[in-house]
Amino acid sequence: MRLITRKILIIATVLSSYYSYSQENTTEKSHSLPDRVFAIDFYLQRALPSGDNFIGNGLSDGTGYGIRMQFDIYKNIYVGGALSQDFFSVKNTDVIGEFNRATKFNAYLFLGYDYQLNDDWNITADLGYGYSQNKNRQSTEQGGGKFRDTGNVFRITTSIEYNLSSATSIYLSPSYESISYNINSAPALEDTFDKGKFINLALGIRFNVRDYRNVPLKDADNQELIDLQNRDRDDLSISEKRKLYFLKKKEARRLRRERRRSN
């Protein structure tokens, strides 16, 4: 687990440095950031089992990681999908069974809202629903077996996000999970094995693709670029669309530099 965590941190650091350098200077703070149309997240997570059930009473606090992708569908509303995996040790075999560790895997879809507080800060909130699986493992002394419990996860995820640049941000994300397990148990034990609950706290990095189409161009641009902006977008070639996109992106950075100097 330590090796996995170290690799994720190294990858996140390298990606952050690359995007920040190649797309814009990270010392520039955003000014009226264009709307986000796509984002991909990588995060590390601390997962805390809770509740009076076999999860809350049987597992110790865990550590995990995950990836999320989201797409803007209307104004600040987005949809997406996520994968996550958390690792736990067993603290009470009398409650959870003869295992010594467990791995929880989630795969779910979500719908959420993205609110920009100001040029530097965003908050997000979304509701997710999907598949969950616990892979329970025994030690050699216990028999070395592997057993799986499956169910459906309902997840509420929030985040407070700081924009390092228009392309990269970091965030802190509290979340809550309720999992309904499909475990055959005696009627007297249904309340114990029917559901599991987790409270999570994640720290992540988010890479953003934004819509620069509505960024105005300054009057000093040459006539060719002004003509590109005034033409019907459907009539532009791929290379002309690319040229216009990066010009608007450059102009958005210029506006942010001017905002910073004026402050």
Side-chain angles (χ1 to χ4, degrees), residues 34-180:
D35 291 337
R36 178 161 45 205
V37 295
F38 172 76
I40 182 168
D41 302 2
F42 299 94
Y43 65 86
L44 297 175
Q45 176 173 273
R46 188 66 170 168
L48 310 177
S50 66
D52 186 15
N53 50 59
F54 79 109
I55 292 296
N57 297 326
L59 295 180
S60 298
D61 297 346
T63 304
Y65 60 91
I67 180 174
R68 288 165 46 102
M69 290 185 292
Q70 67 183 59
F71 303 85
D72 181 84
I73 56 173
Y74 179 73
K75 294 186 178 179
N76 291 5
I77 299 174
Y78 59 84
V79 297
L83 302 174
S84 67
Q85 190 156 264
D86 299 287
F87 304 88
F88 305 89
S89 60
V90 172
K91 66 180 181 182
N92 190 340
T93 56
D94 292 336
V95 174
I96 202 168
E98 286 298 321
F99 310 111
N100 73 327
R101 55 197 172 101
T103 302
K104 175 170 64 69
F105 170 76
N106 287 339
Y108 59 93
L109 302 176
F110 56 82
L111 170 70
Y113 187 80
D114 181 358
Y115 181 72
Q116 184 174 344
L117 292 173
N118 53 44
D119 292 344
D120 295 326
W121 295 93
N122 284 62
I123 57 175
T124 68
D126 52 70
L127 300 177
Y129 186 79
Y131 172 79
S132 183
Q133 179 190 96
N134 280 356
K135 183 183 292 184
N136 305 307
R137 299 174 184 269
Q138 294 179 329
S139 65
T140 303
E141 293 76 12
Q142 293 172 324
K146 298 179 182 178
F147 305 88
R148 289 178 172 83
D149 299 322
T150 62
N152 295 311
V153 58
F154 172 73
R155 180 175 171 120
I156 302 173
T157 306
T158 62
S159 76
I160 178 71
E161 172 186 0
Y162 179 73
N163 298 303
L164 298 173
S165 69
S166 65
T168 310
S169 54
I170 57 175
Y171 64 88
L172 184 67
S173 175
S175 62
Y176 169 79
E177 293 179 13
S178 178
I179 302 175
S180 300

